[in-house]
Amino acid sequence: MSGVNGRPLGRRTFVLGSAAAAGSAALAGPLAESASAASFGWSDDGSNYVVDTGASLVFKVSKTNGDLTSLVYKGTEYQGYGGKNSHVESGLGTSTVTIAQSGTTILISVTYGTLKHYYAARSGENNVYVWTNKADSSVTATRYIVRVKAGLFLNDEPDSYTYAPTVIESADVFEKSDGQTRAKHYSKLRVMDYDYIGWTTGSVGLWVVRSNHEKASGGPFYRSLLRHQSADGGGLYEILYYGENQTESERYGLQGPYVIALTDGGAPSSSLYAGTLTTSWADSLGISGYVSASGRGRVAGVGISGRDTAYAYTVGLANSAAQYWGSARSSDGYFSIAGVLPGTYTLTVFKGELAVYTGSVTVTAGATTTLNTIAIASSNDPSNASAIWRINNWDGTPSGFKNADLMTYAHPSDVRAASWTGNVVIGSGTETSAFPCYLWKDVNSGIIVYFRLTAAQAAAAHTLRIGVTTAYANGRPQVVVNDTWTSAVPSPPTQPSTRSLTVGSYRGNNNTFTYSVPASAWLTDTSAYNTLKIYVASGSGTTSFLSAGTSIDAIDLLA
């Protein structure tokens, strides 16, 4: 299956992002109000609009502020923990809330200042379709959170369980008595890795199916909190905009539908995923900012040459108004991205998470923009450069380095982490696995790489490269060779200003630092080891794992 945000199907990682999953159309006219029906329909209990889907789901929406106040599936109430409702952000203030029915669809509309929010129900479905249109910065609206009562589901993602005895960072990272860490941030997943999140008992499943994120920010590799559980209950999130470790400005406009789905224990229907979801039934509902499938276009590329077939390639489209992505076919690099709003986009090809090609493409409503084979220049992939030695390969991630996998779901202080110190010997066979994925000024600055050079190599100047994926508090590498030659402190590249390395994310702005090391810096004794010491330079940050730091992609010494 292909499409916007498309990727091969797998367990709990289905494709999101169909053309109709985010959009808006001309109105066919206002919906007509309906009296409550015996099964499918709605009623007014004085405080809430009560919607019966005609299946097994009845939900309520507050007439005062648009909160989801009740979510009853097969007679059991699932909504609510800590006395809180499900809602946009932490709840809107007094809003204008209306309801209307048109045939087999019920739409509840919520207006709070410039923000418009919608719930829709379809006859015979155990789903709540949700849209949020944030028009500007006048209203804080960065998420929708479904709050689920405690005790209804087992916690099958313990790393996101936020109840532990000791707070170790910023009131949202905790440590258990056994030294393992927990935080709501620790989702493990990038946006492109999941279609839905939630819980199942085996007989009941409660899920949030994400939208195609066209009005979100951060691209396909962005990580943010998805769900958490505590002693009071659980939360499932659709992130509209998340500022932590964010690389892009906030986008405005309609996001959705995202779907609250109840099942008999299984995964939500694949027909709800943004790669397959069509909402033609919503075309005439009058949803602000909605663009129907006919008002969207498609980009298709016949192939990508110059790829390293050991890596997956992703094609991204982005401008200030929207973002999309799709996977390139492994055999030839073919890609197709559908459901794109008209406009001109920067097209980026990623090897892993490393940008190796950028171009421009214009999308027209109702049409397909077909691109000839995209050629990745050899010089655009740093792995193609001839190197005397290389630690890890260049793919825009710290994957393969020590502790890299753990850091997407644990704090660096976690007892499960291997020591952050320890030096590396080129030729040992453990260069990558022994090198820590992150370096901090106050933790492991000054790590040493040992290596030998031939006489010919030692007689020449060489370029040293260090690739990073993000940085905290302007952390950047400064190097010392053989304790005699010290590099200048490089200027810090643009990186997110918030926490990153301690909240499960290495994704920032990839940057390559280069150092021209003169021949005079090398040892002439070919049997002796040269030393490369890598320090973290910065006057910012605090102490320990919140001192200035950076995430490493690859390190090499060019021939």
Side-chain angles (χ1 to χ4, degrees):
M1 180 173 66
S2 63
V4 171
N5 305 359
R7 67 188 297 259
L9 292 179
R11 184 176 181 269
R12 291 200 182 184
T13 52
F14 305 93
V15 182
L16 288 180
S18 83
S24 67
L27 308 183
L31 298 177
E33 289 195 354
S34 168
S36 60
S39 182
F40 176 72
W42 64 271
S43 60
D44 183 339
D45 69 3
S47 299
N48 306 278
Y49 290 122
V50 184
V51 177
D52 188 331
T53 66
S56 301
L57 176 64
V58 178
F59 65 92
K60 297 180 181 181
V61 174
S62 167
K63 294 167 57 180
T64 300
N65 57 21
D67 283 3
L68 183 69
T69 60
S70 176
L71 191 69
V72 175
Y73 180 66
K74 294 187 174 180
T76 298
E77 176 68 76
Y78 287 88
Q79 200 302 120
Y81 75 79
K84 297 180 180 180
N85 296 322
S86 300
H87 40 217
V88 173
E89 194 55 15
S90 295
L92 302 174
T94 301
S95 306
T96 300
V97 184
T98 60
I99 190 169
Q101 179 173 340
S102 178
T104 57
T105 302
I106 294 171
L107 182 72
I108 297 176
S109 303
V110 182
T111 300
Y112 178 77
T114 60
L115 184 141
K116 297 182 184 300
H117 182 69
Y118 304 90
Y119 302 92
R122 299 275 290 161
S123 177
E125 296 185 12
N126 293 313
N127 305 314
V128 183
Y129 297 85
V130 190
W131 290 262
T132 304
N133 188 338
K134 182 179 179 181
D136 52 46
S137 62
S138 64
V139 178
T140 299
T142 59
R143 67 181 182 182
Y144 189 89
I145 179 170
V146 178
R147 300 186 186 274
V148 183
K149 291 176 65 176
L152 296 177
F153 297 99
L154 293 176
N155 183 23
D156 60 350
E157 288 289 345
D159 297 294
S160 63
Y161 188 85
T162 59
Y163 183 80
T166 305
V167 177
I168 61 172
E169 184 179 299
S170 193
D172 60 5
V173 182
F174 304 87
E175 184 179 68
K176 295 174 58 185
S177 58
D178 63 3
Q180 291 193 14
T181 55
R182 300 288 187 260
K184 63 184 179 181
H185 307 283
Y186 298 152
S187 67
K188 300 182 182 180
L189 302 175
R190 306 169 301 176
V191 175
M192 68 180 293
D193 293 333
Y194 72 95
D195 296 310
Y196 58 90
I197 42 94
W199 298 289
T200 179
T201 65
S203 58
V204 175
L206 174 57
W207 316 97
V208 169
V209 184
R210 75 163 172 85
S211 69
N212 70 349
H213 278 220
E214 72 176 355
K215 295 296 184 178
S217 300
F221 314 124
Y222 190 67
R223 298 173 186 269
S224 67
L225 64 161
L226 300 179
R227 63 179 179 176
H228 78 275
Q229 283 185 316
S230 71
D232 298 323
L236 302 176
Y237 298 87
E238 168 74 345
I239 298 298
L240 310 180
Y241 176 79
Y242 196 53
E244 198 151 58
N245 208 35
Q246 180 59 253
T247 59
E248 295 184 299
S249 298
E250 185 171 8
R251 293 181 171 93
Y252 299 112
L254 185 71
Q255 182 155 297
Y258 45 102
V259 186
I260 303 168
L262 281 298
T263 72
D264 289 336
S269 170
S270 59
S271 65
L272 301 177
Y273 307 156
T276 56
L277 177 63
T278 57
T279 51
S280 57
W281 52 265
D283 288 356
S284 61
L285 295 183
I287 295 173
S288 174
Y290 184 94
V291 179
S292 68
S294 63
R296 297 166 176 270
R298 174 173 168 262
V299 176
V302 299
I304 303 172
S305 65
R307 293 174 298 119
D308 181 342
T309 56
Y311 291 87
Y313 282 73
T314 302
V315 179
L317 305 177
N319 61 22
S320 61
Q323 62 170 7
Y324 308 90
W325 58 84
S327 297
R329 193 161 61 193
S330 60
S331 60
D332 55 8
Y334 167 83
F335 63 90
S336 176
I337 304 173
V340 181
L341 292 171
T344 298
Y345 295 84
T346 296
L347 182 152
T348 305
V349 177
F350 298 92
K351 168 197 173 187
E353 297 183 15
L354 183 67
V356 292
Y357 173 90
T358 57
S360 180
V361 63
T362 298
V363 178
T364 304
T368 296
T369 301
T370 302
L371 304 177
N372 294 325
T373 297
I374 293 173
I376 300 173
S378 178
S379 59
N380 284 357
D381 184 345
S383 297
N384 292 327
S386 178
I388 296 171
W389 53 260
R390 177 170 291 141
I391 306 177
N392 214 356
N393 203 0
W394 296 81
D395 69 350
T397 82
S399 179
F401 282 127
K402 182 166 61 175
N403 292 328
D405 290 342
L406 178 66
M407 288 301 95
T408 63
Y409 60 93
H411 190 269
S413 65
D414 195 288
V415 68
R416 292 169 289 180
S419 172
W420 288 103
T421 58
N423 300 320
V424 174
V425 179
I426 300 298
S428 65
T430 61
E431 298 93 335
T432 297
S433 61
F435 197 98
C437 62
Y438 298 162
L439 300 177
W440 290 272
K441 186 174 183 178
D442 202 34
V443 175
N444 55 356
S445 183
I447 195 166
I448 304 173
V449 178
Y450 294 91
F451 60 97
R452 290 189 175 102
L453 296 176
T454 66
Q457 291 166 345
H462 297 285
T463 296
L464 173 75
R465 303 187 301 183
I466 301 178
V468 304
T469 70
T470 194
Y472 175 69
N474 285 331
R476 67 271 198 196
Q478 182 182 26
V479 301
V480 176
V481 176
N482 291 322
D483 293 324
T484 60
W485 182 86
T486 302
S487 73
V489 177
S491 298
T494 300
Q495 295 289 4
S497 60
T498 61
R499 288 180 300 167
S500 54
L501 309 180
T502 60
V503 290
S505 179
Y506 59 77
R507 177 75 273 126
N509 293 311
N510 287 100
N511 186 77
T512 301
F513 295 94
T514 60
Y515 311 84
S516 298
V517 185
S520 59
W522 310 124
L523 300 180
T524 57
D525 182 353
T526 58
S527 65
Y529 280 104
N530 291 268
T531 60
L532 168 68
K533 295 181 180 178
I534 305 174
Y535 295 90
V536 176
S538 175
S540 303
T542 57
T543 60
S544 188
F545 297 109
L546 288 178
S547 63
T550 190
S551 169
I552 306 298
D553 177 11
I555 306 170
D556 57 21
L557 184 67
L558 298 186

